[in-house]
Amino acid sequence: MSDHTRRSTGWQLEQNAPEAYERYLVPPIFASWADRLVETGDIREGDRVLDVGCGTGIVARRVATSVGTSGDVVGLDTNQGMLAVAAETAGDNQHTPEWRQGDAEALPFDDEDFDVVCSQQSVQFFDDPTAALEEMQRVLTPGGHVALSVWRPLEYHPAYVVLAEALEHHVGANAGKMMRSPFPDWDTRDLRTLVQDAGFDDVLVTIEVGSVRYPSVEEFVRREVASSPLAEPIAAVGRTVRNELVKAVEEELHAYSDDHGVVSPMESYVITADRPQ
Ligand SMILES: C[S@@+](CC[C@H](N)C(=O)[O-])C[C@H]1O[C@@H](n2cnc3c(N)ncnc32)[C@H](O)[C@@H]1O
C-alpha cells in the first residue's frame, strides 16, 4: 500500500482536497459563517447575487434560499476542482446557483449586473485585492452593496497558531507559511482603506467571534491538512514525521482539549459597503 493511502494511527491522507474541504471544513467552519454573512449582507428575495471565490459553494447555496425563485445567484471561482464539488453539492434549493470559472480581478460580467456581491474568506487570497474590489464595484448596480469576510490575524485563532508553528518545525517553512496564509495581518483600518480606495461608501467593519470544534487533535490536523494545499507536502514527509506533528500539536493544545475533543476560538472581520448611487 502506498504511503498516500495508508492509515497511520487514524489519519488517512486524502488526495482530493476540494472534496475534503467540503466534507471536513465546510460543516464545522464555513457553513455557520456563511449564515452570518448572508444575514449581514441583507440579501432579499428577488436579488441577483454574485459570490466571488465561492469555493465549493456554501455561501451561494445559502444565498439561493434567501433570493428565492425570483432571484439569481452566481458562484465564481478560479479553481475548477472547487466548482466541480459545488455543482455536485447543489443541495435542494428551488433555485440552483450558476457556477462560473473566472478571476475575481477580471469578472466575466457586464457593468451593473448584480444587486449584491458576497465573498467569504477569499479576498486575502487575491493577488490584487484592490483590483478585485474595483471589479465588484463595477458589476454592482448603483446603490448595490458588498458583504465580505476575512479572518482576523493568526494570533486570534489559537489552534492555528499551534498548527502553523508545528508545521514549520516538523515539515518546513513553506508548510508553516501555507497554514498562515488564510489569516492576513490586516486590521480594521487596513480593511476600511482597501474598500474605500476601491470607491465604496458607507464601509462598516465588524469583528465577529466564533469557534471551531474537532473530535480530537489528530482529526484537527488530519482534516485541515487533507483539505488544503498541505496535502502533498505532508504526504511526502512520511508517517513518523506526521505522528510527531500530531503529538506536538496535542501537547500545545492541551488547554483547549476537553471530553469532546478540541475547540478553538476563531475571529473574522465582516465588512459591508455600498456602491455610490
Ligand atoms: C478559503 S476558500 C473560500 C471558499 C468559499 N468562499 C467558502 O466560504 O467556503 C478561497 C477560495 O478563493 C478562490 N480564489 C482564490 N483566488 C481567486 C481569484 N483570483 N478569483 C476567484 N477565486 C479565487 C480559491 O480558489 C478558493 O476556492
Side-chain angles (χ1 to χ4, degrees), residues 212-245:
V212 61
R213 180 174 273 289
Y214 285 104
S216 66
V217 168
E218 187 174 28
E219 279 302 296
F220 163 56
V221 178
R222 186 182 78 83
R223 294 178 190 189
E224 284 290 340
V225 164
S227 313
S228 75
L230 286 162
E232 269 188 43
I234 296 287
V237 295
R239 184 166 53 168
T240 308
V241 173
R242 292 202 295 272
N243 288 345
E244 283 167 5
L245 175 72

Side-chain angles (χ1 to χ4, degrees), residues 21 26 30 34 51-59 76-79 82 102-105 119-127 151 182:
Y21 179 93
V26 171
F30 293 97
D51 175 15
V52 180
C54 66
T56 56
I58 184 63
V59 169
L76 173 130
D77 205 284
T78 40
N79 187 307
M82 294 295 244
D103 187 344
E105 292 162 35
S119 187
Q120 169 162 279
Q121 305 305 342
S122 297
V123 172
Q124 61 267 55
F125 295 106
F126 303 155
D127 290 336
W151 296 126

Side-chain angles (χ1 to χ4, degrees), residues 4-5 13-18 226 231-232 235:
H4 287 191
T5 52
L13 296 169
E14 305 263 349
Q15 291 308 293
N16 194 331
E232 269 188 43

Side-chain angles (χ1 to χ4, degrees), residues 184-196:
D185 268 329
W186 291 341
D187 63 19
T188 51
R189 264 175 304 188
D190 297 328
L191 279 164
R192 188 182 311 285
T193 304
L194 179 69
V195 176
Q196 274 170 347

